Amino acid sequence: MYSVSNLTTVADCDVLLGMAQKEKSDLNFKKLSEERLVTNYSNNAVEIDAILQGVNAEIAAVDTVLAILPEGPTKEAEEKRKVRLEYRKFLLENRKESYGAVALLEKELDLERVNKQLAEVDVFIAEVTAHRDTL
């Protein structure tokens, strides 16, 4: 796969192996970071969805109450409550975009990319090492 036959000295192989080991170390660190992010985003996605469902239920209940209340201070208080709930819903929907299911899938994709890169670095190391052993 790699043109390791162009390497003619053990020193050249050692330089490449050193660079590859550093890359592997960096990727392992990145993998750990991505795994933690996936865990956090996974927990956040579930939490945000649950809270959002509760807020939507509260808004529906307030709408029902508002429909039957006569004009007056109680109705005004419920209208203010609805505005606060709608604002909370807005904030949760924004959080959902940043930390919800879509963001979780993006982080899972990032993690899988790192895993593929690590696998390819391992292949590179194996090929260079095998060629070095023949020199």
Side-chain angles (χ1 to χ4, degrees):
M1 178 175 200
Y2 294 101
S3 55
V4 292
S5 59
N6 292 334
L7 299 172
T8 58
T9 67
V10 172
D12 289 343
C13 294
D14 288 341
V15 167
L16 286 171
L17 288 171
M19 290 172 28
Q21 288 296 343
K22 182 187 179 316
E23 176 73 14
K24 184 175 180 177
S25 176
D26 292 345
L27 286 169
N28 278 323
F29 179 76
K30 187 173 181 180
K31 178 182 176 182
L32 177 64
S33 298
E34 294 295 341
E35 287 171 340
R36 287 184 177 176
L37 286 172
V38 165
T39 300
N40 289 341
Y41 277 54
S42 178
N43 292 338
N44 284 337
V46 171
E47 179 184 348
I48 291 168
D49 281 341
I51 294 170
L52 190 55
Q53 285 178 0
V55 168
N56 284 333
E58 275 189 80
I59 289 172
V62 169
D63 282 340
T64 302
V65 170
L66 283 172
I68 60 172
L69 279 177
E71 293 299 323
T74 305
K75 187 169 186 166
E76 289 174 12
E78 287 301 308
E79 287 171 341
K80 289 177 184 175
R81 180 174 172 217
K82 182 179 177 183
V83 169
R84 285 191 305 271
L85 287 168
E86 287 174 341
Y87 179 67
R88 186 164 186 214
K89 178 182 175 181
F90 169 77
L91 293 175
L92 286 167
E93 286 172 344
N94 283 339
R95 272 186 62 202
K96 186 175 180 176
E97 288 178 21
S98 300
Y99 300 100
V102 172
L104 171 62
L105 286 169
E106 289 174 2
K107 289 300 165 191
E108 289 172 340
L109 175 62
D110 291 344
L111 177 58
E112 194 54 38
R113 281 186 189 136
V114 171
N115 286 332
K116 300 282 187 203
Q117 288 176 310
L118 274 168
E120 193 59 32
V121 169
D122 285 338
V123 168
F124 180 80
I125 289 171
E127 286 190 28
V128 173
T129 301
H131 180 71
R132 184 189 66 186
D133 292 343
T134 65
L135 297 176

